[in-house]
Amino acid sequence: MSNRTTTVTTWSLEQTSPGDLVAVQEPDSASGIRIVRAEAPSPEFSRFLYTAVGGDITWLDRLPWPYETWRAHLTRPGVETWVAYEHGTPAGYIELEAQGEGTVEIVYFGLIPAFRGRRIGGHLLSYGTARAWDLADRWPDLAPTKRVWVHTCSLDGEHAVANYERRGFRVFKTESEEQPEAATPGPWPGAHA
């Protein structure tokens, strides 16, 4: 095992009003892009999305989760998964989580590698952020959203911070720390050929 470390910078960004959201124009219907909420909690599907999107950018924290942990998480009030599809194929997702006192976190957001760079991400982030702002409309026991926040790090890709800023998020905290180097978990050899 290597003792090598790397410096990882984490940026926390927020919106404090629905008016902060800078939405992108929706793709036309010919693009085949649609975004649908995965309303029936499915640990299998959520784990697929997590590993398919995060496999090449070192998403590791949920890999050890057993089935019951996934199920318990997905059935919590205010947890929603919105999936972008291109012509019926999952392209990426955004996961929202209500955190009390009107705060909603975008816990995960990203595209499967084959769908990156095709102008899907901006639309998915716009749409998902709008769903964070109207989350209480679907969960009447939750307080109305007053703040939407997200964090991203230098492992997530060189354009991550700029993408959030283009959608109206503002950086409120930046931290750097040394972390052990870790190999990306997949998805499998040759997947990006």
Coordinates of all heavy atoms in Angstrom, one line a residue, residues 103-185:
T103 N -32.9 23.9 4.8 CA -31.6 23.7 4.0 C -31.7 22.4 3.2 O -32.2 21.4 3.7 CB -30.4 23.6 4.9 OG1 -30.2 24.9 5.6 CG2 -29.1 23.3 4.2
V104 N -31.3 22.4 2.0 CA -31.3 21.3 1.1 C -29.9 21.2 0.5 O -29.4 22.1 0.0 CB -32.3 21.3 -0.1 CG1 -32.2 20.1 -1.0 CG2 -33.7 21.5 0.5
E105 N -29.3 20.0 0.6 CA -28.0 19.7 0.0 C -28.1 19.0 -1.3 O -28.9 18.0 -1.3 CB -27.1 19.0 1.0 CG -25.7 18.7 0.4 CD -24.8 17.9 1.3 OE1 -25.2 17.4 2.4 OE2 -23.6 17.7 0.9
I106 N -27.4 19.4 -2.3 CA -27.2 18.6 -3.4 C -26.0 17.6 -3.0 O -24.9 18.0 -3.0 CB -26.8 19.4 -4.7 CG1 -28.0 20.3 -5.0 CG2 -26.4 18.5 -5.8 CD1 -27.7 21.3 -6.1
V107 N -26.4 16.4 -2.7 CA -25.4 15.5 -2.1 C -24.5 14.9 -3.2 O -23.3 14.8 -3.1 CB -26.1 14.4 -1.3 CG1 -25.1 13.4 -0.7 CG2 -27.0 15.0 -0.3
Y108 N -25.1 14.5 -4.3 CA -24.4 14.0 -5.5 C -25.0 14.6 -6.7 O -26.2 14.8 -6.9 CB -24.4 12.5 -5.5 CG -23.6 11.9 -4.5 CD1 -24.1 11.4 -3.3 CD2 -22.2 11.8 -4.7 CE1 -23.3 10.9 -2.3 CE2 -21.4 11.3 -3.7 CZ -21.9 10.8 -2.5 OH -21.1 10.3 -1.5
F109 N -24.1 14.9 -7.7 CA -24.5 15.4 -9.0 C -23.4 14.9 -10.0 O -22.2 15.1 -9.7 CB -24.6 16.9 -9.0 CG -24.6 17.5 -10.4 CD1 -25.7 17.3 -11.2 CD2 -23.5 18.2 -10.8 CE1 -25.6 17.8 -12.5 CE2 -23.4 18.7 -12.1 CZ -24.5 18.5 -13.0
G110 N -23.8 14.4 -11.1 CA -22.8 14.1 -12.1 C -23.4 13.3 -13.2 O -24.5 12.8 -13.2
L111 N -22.5 13.1 -14.3 CA -22.9 12.4 -15.5 C -22.0 11.1 -15.6 O -20.9 11.1 -15.2 CB -22.8 13.2 -16.7 CG -23.6 14.5 -16.8 CD1 -23.2 15.3 -18.0 CD2 -25.1 14.1 -16.8
I112 N -22.6 10.1 -16.2 CA -21.8 8.9 -16.6 C -20.8 9.4 -17.6 O -21.1 10.2 -18.5 CB -22.8 7.8 -17.1 CG1 -23.7 7.3 -16.0 CG2 -22.0 6.7 -17.8 CD1 -24.8 6.4 -16.4
P113 N -19.6 8.9 -17.6 CA -18.5 9.5 -18.4 C -18.9 9.6 -19.9 O -18.6 10.6 -20.6 CB -17.3 8.5 -18.2 CG -17.5 8.1 -16.8 CD -19.0 7.9 -16.6
A114 N -19.6 8.6 -20.5 CA -19.9 8.7 -21.9 C -20.9 9.8 -22.2 O -21.0 10.2 -23.4 CB -20.6 7.4 -22.3
F115 N -21.5 10.4 -21.2 CA -22.5 11.5 -21.5 C -21.9 12.9 -21.1 O -22.6 13.9 -21.3 CB -23.8 11.2 -20.7 CG -24.5 10.0 -21.2 CD1 -24.2 8.8 -20.7 CD2 -25.4 10.1 -22.3 CE1 -24.9 7.6 -21.2 CE2 -26.0 9.0 -22.8 CZ -25.8 7.7 -22.2
R116 N -20.7 13.0 -20.7 CA -20.1 14.2 -20.3 C -19.7 15.0 -21.6 O -19.4 14.4 -22.6 CB -18.9 14.0 -19.4 CG -19.2 13.4 -18.1 CD -17.9 13.2 -17.3 NE -18.3 12.4 -16.1 CZ -17.5 11.6 -15.4 NH1 -16.2 11.5 -15.9 NH2 -17.9 11.0 -14.4
G117 N -19.8 16.3 -21.5 CA -19.4 17.2 -22.6 C -20.5 17.3 -23.7 O -20.2 17.7 -24.8
R118 N -21.7 16.9 -23.4 CA -22.8 16.9 -24.4 C -23.9 17.8 -24.0 O -25.0 17.7 -24.4 CB -23.3 15.5 -24.6 CG -22.2 14.6 -25.2 CD -22.4 13.1 -25.1 NE -23.7 12.7 -25.7 CZ -24.1 11.5 -25.8 NH1 -23.3 10.5 -25.3 NH2 -25.2 11.1 -26.3
R119 N -23.6 18.8 -23.1 CA -24.6 19.8 -22.7 C -25.8 19.3 -21.9 O -26.8 19.9 -21.9 CB -25.0 20.7 -23.9 CG -23.8 21.2 -24.7 CD -24.1 22.2 -25.7 NE -24.6 23.5 -25.2 CZ -23.8 24.4 -24.6 NH1 -22.5 24.2 -24.5 NH2 -24.3 25.5 -24.2
I120 N -25.6 18.2 -21.2 CA -26.6 17.6 -20.4 C -26.4 18.1 -18.9 O -27.4 18.3 -18.3 CB -26.6 16.0 -20.4 CG1 -26.8 15.5 -21.9 CG2 -27.6 15.4 -19.5 CD1 -26.5 14.1 -22.1
G121 N -25.2 18.2 -18.5 CA -24.9 18.6 -17.1 C -25.5 19.9 -16.6 O -26.1 20.0 -15.6
G122 N -25.4 20.9 -17.5 CA -26.0 22.2 -17.1 C -27.5 22.2 -16.9 O -28.0 22.7 -16.0
H123 N -28.1 21.5 -17.8 CA -29.6 21.3 -17.7 C -30.0 20.5 -16.5 O -30.9 20.9 -15.7 CB -30.1 20.7 -19.0 CG -31.6 20.3 -18.9 ND1 -32.5 21.2 -18.6 CD2 -32.2 19.1 -19.2 CE1 -33.7 20.6 -18.6 NE2 -33.6 19.4 -18.9
L124 N -29.2 19.4 -16.2 CA -29.6 18.6 -15.1 C -29.3 19.4 -13.8 O -30.1 19.3 -12.9 CB -28.7 17.3 -15.1 CG -28.8 16.4 -13.9 CD1 -30.3 15.9 -13.7 CD2 -27.9 15.2 -14.0
L125 N -28.2 20.1 -13.7 CA -28.0 20.9 -12.5 C -29.0 22.0 -12.3 O -29.5 22.2 -11.2 CB -26.6 21.5 -12.6 CG -26.2 22.4 -11.3 CD1 -26.3 21.6 -10.0 CD2 -24.8 22.9 -11.5
S126 N -29.4 22.7 -13.4 CA -30.5 23.7 -13.3 C -31.8 23.1 -12.8 O -32.4 23.6 -11.9 CB -30.8 24.3 -14.7 OG -29.8 25.2 -15.0
Y127 N -32.2 22.0 -13.5 CA -33.4 21.3 -13.1 C -33.4 20.8 -11.7 O -34.4 21.0 -10.9 CB -33.7 20.2 -14.1 CG -35.1 19.6 -14.0 CD1 -36.1 20.1 -14.8 CD2 -35.4 18.6 -13.1 CE1 -37.4 19.6 -14.7 CE2 -36.6 18.0 -13.0 CZ -37.7 18.6 -13.8 OH -38.9 18.1 -13.7
G128 N -32.3 20.2 -11.3 CA -32.2 19.6 -10.0 C -32.2 20.7 -8.9 O -32.8 20.5 -7.8
T129 N -31.5 21.8 -9.2 CA -31.5 22.9 -8.2 C -32.9 23.5 -8.0 O -33.3 23.8 -6.9 CB -30.5 24.0 -8.6 OG1 -29.2 23.4 -8.8 CG2 -30.4 25.1 -7.6
A130 N -33.6 23.6 -9.1 CA -35.0 24.1 -9.0 C -35.9 23.1 -8.2 O -36.7 23.6 -7.4 CB -35.6 24.3 -10.4
R131 N -35.6 21.8 -8.3 CA -36.3 20.8 -7.5 C -35.9 20.9 -6.0 O -36.7 20.6 -5.1 CB -36.1 19.4 -8.0 CG -36.5 19.1 -9.4 CD -38.0 19.3 -9.7 NE -38.5 20.6 -9.6 CZ -38.4 21.6 -10.5 NH1 -37.8 21.4 -11.7 NH2 -39.0 22.8 -10.3
A132 N -34.7 21.4 -5.7 CA -34.3 21.6 -4.3 C -35.1 22.8 -3.8 O -35.5 22.7 -2.6 CB -32.8 21.9 -4.3
W133 N -35.3 23.8 -4.6 CA -36.0 25.0 -4.1 C -37.5 24.7 -3.9 O -38.1 25.3 -3.0 CB -35.8 26.2 -5.1 CG -34.5 26.8 -4.9 CD1 -33.5 26.9 -5.7 CD2 -34.1 27.6 -3.7 NE1 -32.4 27.6 -5.2 CE2 -32.8 28.0 -3.9 CE3 -34.8 27.9 -2.5 CZ2 -32.1 28.8 -3.0 CZ3 -34.1 28.7 -1.6 CH2 -32.7 29.1 -1.8
D134 N -38.1 23.7 -4.6 CA -39.5 23.4 -4.4 C -39.7 22.1 -3.7 O -40.8 21.5 -3.8 CB -40.3 23.5 -5.7 CG -39.9 22.5 -6.8 OD1 -39.3 21.5 -6.5 OD2 -40.2 22.8 -8.0
L135 N -38.7 21.6 -3.0 CA -38.7 20.3 -2.4 C -39.9 20.2 -1.4 O -40.6 19.2 -1.3 CB -37.4 20.0 -1.6 CG -37.2 18.6 -1.0 CD1 -36.9 17.6 -2.1 CD2 -36.1 18.6 0.0
A136 N -40.2 21.2 -0.6 CA -41.2 21.2 0.4 C -42.6 21.0 -0.3 O -43.6 20.6 0.4 CB -41.2 22.4 1.3
D137 N -42.7 21.4 -1.5 CA -44.0 21.2 -2.2 C -44.3 19.7 -2.3 O -45.5 19.3 -2.4 CB -44.0 21.8 -3.7 CG -43.9 23.3 -3.7 OD1 -44.0 23.9 -2.6 OD2 -43.6 23.8 -4.8
R138 N -43.3 18.8 -2.4 CA -43.5 17.4 -2.5 C -43.5 16.7 -1.1 O -43.9 15.5 -1.0 CB -42.5 16.8 -3.5 CG -42.7 17.3 -4.9 CD -41.6 16.7 -5.8 NE -40.3 17.1 -5.5 CZ -39.7 18.2 -5.7 NH1 -40.4 19.2 -6.3 NH2 -38.4 18.5 -5.4
W139 N -42.9 17.4 -0.1 CA -42.8 16.8 1.2 C -43.4 17.9 2.2 O -42.7 18.7 2.8 CB -41.3 16.6 1.6 CG -40.6 15.6 0.6 CD1 -40.0 15.9 -0.5 CD2 -40.6 14.2 0.8 NE1 -39.5 14.8 -1.1 CE2 -39.8 13.7 -0.3 CE3 -41.1 13.3 1.8 CZ2 -39.6 12.4 -0.5 CZ3 -40.8 12.0 1.6 CH2 -40.1 11.5 0.5
P140 N -44.7 17.8 2.4 CA -45.4 18.9 3.1 C -45.0 19.0 4.6 O -45.2 20.0 5.2 CB -46.9 18.5 3.1 CG -47.0 17.2 2.3 CD -45.6 16.9 1.8
D141 N -44.3 18.0 5.2 CA -43.9 18.1 6.6 C -42.5 18.8 6.7 O -42.0 19.0 7.8 CB -43.8 16.7 7.2 CG -45.1 16.1 7.4 OD1 -46.1 16.8 7.4 OD2 -45.2 14.8 7.5
L142 N -41.9 19.2 5.5 CA -40.6 19.9 5.6 C -40.8 21.4 5.5 O -41.8 21.8 4.8 CB -39.7 19.4 4.4 CG -39.3 18.0 4.4 CD1 -38.5 17.7 3.2 CD2 -38.5 17.6 5.7
A143 N -39.9 22.1 6.1 CA -40.0 23.6 6.0 C -39.6 24.0 4.5 O -38.8 23.3 3.8 CB -38.9 24.2 6.9
P144 N -40.2 25.1 4.1 CA -39.8 25.6 2.7 C -38.3 25.8 2.6 O -37.7 26.2 3.6 CB -40.6 26.9 2.6 CG -41.7 26.8 3.6 CD -41.2 25.9 4.7
T145 N -37.7 25.6 1.5 CA -36.3 25.7 1.3 C -35.9 27.2 1.3 O -36.5 28.1 0.7 CB -35.9 25.1 -0.1 OG1 -36.3 23.8 -0.1 CG2 -34.4 25.2 -0.3
K146 N -34.9 27.4 2.2 CA -34.3 28.8 2.3 C -32.9 28.8 1.8 O -32.3 29.9 1.6 CB -34.3 29.2 3.8 CG -35.6 29.3 4.4 CD -35.5 29.6 5.9 CE -36.8 29.5 6.6 NZ -36.6 29.5 8.0
R147 N -32.3 27.7 1.6 CA -30.8 27.6 1.2 C -30.6 26.3 0.5 O -31.1 25.2 1.0 CB -30.0 27.7 2.5 CG -28.5 27.6 2.2 CD -27.7 27.8 3.5 NE -26.3 27.6 3.4 CZ -25.6 26.5 3.8 NH1 -26.2 25.5 4.4 NH2 -24.3 26.5 3.6
V148 N -29.9 26.3 -0.6 CA -29.4 25.1 -1.3 C -27.9 25.2 -1.3 O -27.3 26.2 -1.7 CB -30.0 25.0 -2.7 CG1 -29.5 23.8 -3.5 CG2 -31.5 25.0 -2.7
W149 N -27.3 24.1 -1.0 CA -25.8 24.1 -1.0 C -25.3 22.8 -1.5 O -26.0 21.8 -1.7 CB -25.3 24.4 0.4 CG -25.3 23.2 1.4 CD1 -26.3 22.7 2.1 CD2 -24.1 22.4 1.8 NE1 -25.9 21.7 2.8 CE2 -24.6 21.5 2.7 CE3 -22.8 22.5 1.4 CZ2 -23.8 20.5 3.3 CZ3 -21.9 21.5 2.0 CH2 -22.4 20.6 2.9
V150 N -24.0 22.8 -1.9 CA -23.3 21.7 -2.5 C -21.8 21.8 -2.2 O -21.3 23.0 -1.9 CB -23.5 21.7 -4.0 CG1 -23.0 22.9 -4.7 CG2 -23.0 20.4 -4.7
H151 N -21.1 20.7 -2.1 CA -19.7 20.8 -2.1 C -19.1 20.0 -3.2 O -19.7 19.0 -3.7 CB -19.1 20.4 -0.7 CG -19.2 19.0 -0.4 ND1 -20.3 18.4 0.2 CD2 -18.3 17.9 -0.6 CE1 -20.1 17.1 0.3 NE2 -18.9 16.8 -0.2
T152 N -18.0 20.4 -3.7 CA -17.3 19.7 -4.8 C -15.8 19.8 -4.4 O -15.4 20.6 -3.6 CB -17.6 20.3 -6.1 OG1 -17.0 19.5 -7.2 CG2 -17.0 21.7 -6.3
C153 N -15.0 18.9 -5.0 CA -13.6 18.9 -4.7 C -12.8 18.8 -6.0 O -13.3 18.5 -7.0 CB -13.2 17.9 -3.7 SG -13.2 16.2 -4.3
S154 N -11.5 19.0 -5.8 CA -10.6 19.0 -6.9 C -10.5 17.6 -7.6 O -10.0 17.5 -8.7 CB -9.2 19.4 -6.5 OG -8.7 18.7 -5.4
L155 N -11.0 16.6 -7.0 CA -11.1 15.2 -7.6 C -12.3 15.1 -8.6 O -12.3 14.2 -9.4 CB -11.2 14.1 -6.5 CG -10.0 14.0 -5.5 CD1 -10.4 13.0 -4.5 CD2 -8.7 13.7 -6.2
D156 N -13.3 16.0 -8.4 CA -14.5 15.9 -9.2 C -14.3 16.4 -10.7 O -15.3 16.3 -11.4 CB -15.6 16.7 -8.6 CG -16.2 16.0 -7.3 OD1 -16.0 14.8 -7.2 OD2 -16.8 16.7 -6.5
G157 N -13.2 17.0 -11.0 CA -13.1 17.5 -12.4 C -12.8 19.0 -12.4 O -13.2 19.7 -11.5
E158 N -12.0 19.4 -13.4 CA -11.6 20.8 -13.5 C -12.7 21.8 -13.7 O -12.4 23.0 -13.4 CB -10.5 20.9 -14.6 CG -11.0 20.6 -16.0 CD -9.9 20.6 -17.0 OE1 -9.2 21.6 -17.1 OE2 -9.8 19.6 -17.8
H159 N -13.8 21.4 -14.2 CA -14.9 22.4 -14.5 C -16.0 22.4 -13.4 O -17.0 23.1 -13.6 CB -15.5 22.1 -15.9 CG -14.5 22.1 -17.0 ND1 -13.8 23.2 -17.4 CD2 -14.0 21.0 -17.7 CE1 -12.9 22.8 -18.3 NE2 -13.1 21.5 -18.6
A160 N -15.9 21.6 -12.4 CA -17.0 21.5 -11.4 C -17.4 22.8 -10.8 O -18.5 23.2 -10.8 CB -16.6 20.5 -10.3
V161 N -16.4 23.6 -10.2 CA -16.7 24.8 -9.5 C -17.3 25.8 -10.5 O -18.3 26.4 -10.2 CB -15.5 25.4 -8.8 CG1 -15.8 26.8 -8.3 CG2 -15.0 24.5 -7.7
A162 N -16.7 25.9 -11.7 CA -17.3 26.9 -12.7 C -18.7 26.5 -13.1 O -19.5 27.4 -13.3 CB -16.4 26.9 -13.9
N163 N -19.0 25.2 -13.2 CA -20.4 24.8 -13.6 C -21.4 25.3 -12.5 O -22.4 25.8 -12.8 CB -20.4 23.3 -13.7 CG -21.7 22.8 -14.3 OD1 -22.4 23.6 -15.0 ND2 -22.0 21.6 -14.1
Y164 N -21.0 25.1 -11.2 CA -21.9 25.5 -10.2 C -22.0 27.0 -10.2 O -23.1 27.6 -10.0 CB -21.4 25.0 -8.8 CG -21.6 23.5 -8.6 CD1 -20.5 22.7 -8.5 CD2 -22.8 23.0 -8.5 CE1 -20.6 21.3 -8.3 CE2 -23.0 21.6 -8.4 CZ -21.9 20.8 -8.3 OH -22.0 19.4 -8.1
E165 N -20.9 27.7 -10.4 CA -21.0 29.2 -10.4 C -21.8 29.7 -11.5 O -22.6 30.7 -11.4 CB -19.6 29.8 -10.4 CG -18.8 29.6 -9.1 CD -17.4 30.1 -9.1 OE1 -16.8 30.0 -10.2 OE2 -16.9 30.5 -8.1
R166 N -21.8 29.1 -12.7 CA -22.6 29.5 -13.8 C -24.1 29.3 -13.5 O -24.9 30.0 -14.1 CB -22.3 28.7 -15.1 CG -21.0 29.2 -15.8 CD -20.9 28.6 -17.2 NE -20.8 27.1 -17.2 CZ -19.7 26.4 -17.0 NH1 -18.5 27.0 -16.8 NH2 -19.7 25.1 -17.0
R167 N -24.4 28.4 -12.6 CA -25.8 28.2 -12.2 C -26.2 29.1 -11.1 O -27.3 29.0 -10.5 CB -26.1 26.7 -11.9 CG -25.8 25.7 -13.0 CD -26.8 25.7 -14.1 NE -26.8 26.9 -15.0 CZ -25.9 27.1 -15.9 NH1 -24.9 26.3 -16.2 NH2 -26.0 28.3 -16.7
G168 N -25.3 30.0 -10.6 CA -25.7 31.0 -9.6 C -25.3 30.6 -8.2 O -25.6 31.3 -7.2
F169 N -24.5 29.5 -8.0 CA -24.0 29.2 -6.7 C -22.8 30.1 -6.4 O -22.0 30.5 -7.3 CB -23.5 27.7 -6.6 CG -24.7 26.8 -6.5 CD1 -25.3 26.3 -7.7 CD2 -25.2 26.4 -5.3 CE1 -26.4 25.4 -7.6 CE2 -26.2 25.5 -5.2 CZ -26.8 25.0 -6.3
R170 N -22.6 30.4 -5.1 CA -21.5 31.2 -4.6 C -20.6 30.4 -3.6 O -21.2 29.8 -2.8 CB -21.9 32.5 -4.0 CG -22.7 33.5 -4.9 CD -23.3 34.6 -4.1 NE -24.2 34.2 -3.0 CZ -25.4 33.8 -3.1 NH1 -26.0 33.8 -4.3 NH2 -26.2 33.5 -2.1
V171 N -19.3 30.5 -3.8 CA -18.4 29.8 -2.8 C -18.5 30.5 -1.5 O -18.4 31.7 -1.4 CB -17.0 29.8 -3.3 CG1 -16.0 29.2 -2.3 CG2 -16.8 29.1 -4.7
F172 N -18.8 29.7 -0.4 CA -18.7 30.3 0.9 C -17.6 29.7 1.8 O -17.4 30.2 2.9 CB -20.1 30.2 1.6 CG -20.5 28.8 2.0 CD1 -20.2 28.2 3.2 CD2 -21.3 28.0 1.1 CE1 -20.6 27.0 3.6 CE2 -21.7 26.8 1.5 CZ -21.4 26.2 2.7
K173 N -17.0 28.6 1.3 CA -15.9 28.0 2.1 C -15.0 27.2 1.2 O -15.5 26.5 0.3 CB -16.4 27.2 3.2 CG -15.4 26.5 4.1 CD -15.9 25.9 5.4 CE -16.8 24.7 5.1 NZ -17.2 23.9 6.3
T174 N -13.7 27.4 1.4 CA -12.7 26.6 0.7 C -11.7 26.0 1.7 O -11.3 26.7 2.6 CB -11.9 27.5 -0.3 OG1 -12.8 28.1 -1.2 CG2 -10.9 26.7 -1.1
E175 N -11.5 24.7 1.6 CA -10.6 24.0 2.5 C -9.7 23.1 1.6 O -10.1 22.5 0.6 CB -11.4 23.1 3.4 CG -12.4 23.8 4.3 CD -13.2 22.9 5.1 OE1 -13.9 22.0 4.6 OE2 -13.1 23.0 6.4
S176 N -8.4 22.9 2.1 CA -7.5 22.0 1.5 C -6.9 21.1 2.5 O -6.7 21.5 3.7 CB -6.4 22.7 0.8 OG -6.9 23.5 -0.3
E177 N -6.8 19.8 2.2 CA -6.2 18.9 3.1 C -5.4 17.8 2.3 O -5.8 17.5 1.2 CB -7.2 18.2 4.0 CG -8.2 17.3 3.3 CD -9.2 16.7 4.2 OE1 -9.1 16.8 5.5 OE2 -10.1 15.9 3.7
E178 N -4.5 17.2 3.0 CA -3.8 16.1 2.4 C -4.6 14.8 2.6 O -5.1 14.6 3.7 CB -2.4 15.9 3.1 CG -1.4 17.0 2.7 CD -1.1 17.1 1.2 OE1 -0.8 16.0 0.7 OE2 -1.2 18.2 0.6
Q179 N -4.8 14.0 1.6 CA -5.5 12.8 1.7 C -4.6 11.7 1.1 O -3.9 11.9 0.1 CB -6.8 12.8 1.0 CG -7.8 13.8 1.6 CD -9.2 13.7 0.8 OE1 -9.4 13.0 -0.1 NE2 -10.1 14.6 1.2
P180 N -4.8 10.5 1.6 CA -4.0 9.4 0.9 C -4.5 9.2 -0.5 O -5.7 9.4 -0.8 CB -4.4 8.1 1.7 CG -5.1 8.6 3.0 CD -5.6 10.0 2.7
E181 N -3.6 9.0 -1.4 CA -3.9 8.7 -2.8 C -4.8 7.4 -2.9 O -4.5 6.5 -2.2 CB -2.7 8.6 -3.7 CG -2.1 9.9 -4.0 CD -1.0 9.8 -5.1 OE1 -0.7 8.7 -5.6 OE2 -0.4 10.8 -5.3
A182 N -5.8 7.5 -3.7 CA -6.7 6.3 -3.8 C -6.9 6.0 -5.3 O -7.1 7.0 -6.1 CB -8.0 6.5 -3.1
A183 N -6.9 4.8 -5.7 CA -7.2 4.4 -7.1 C -8.7 4.6 -7.3 O -9.5 4.4 -6.4 CB -6.8 3.0 -7.3
T184 N -9.1 5.1 -8.5 CA -10.5 5.1 -8.8 C -11.1 3.7 -8.8 O -10.4 2.8 -9.3 CB -10.8 5.9 -10.1 OG1 -10.1 5.2 -11.1 CG2 -10.3 7.3 -10.0
P185 N -12.3 3.5 -8.4 CA -12.8 2.2 -8.3 C -13.3 1.6 -9.6 O -13.7 0.4 -9.6 CB -14.0 2.3 -7.3 CG -14.4 3.7 -7.4 CD -13.2 4.5 -7.8

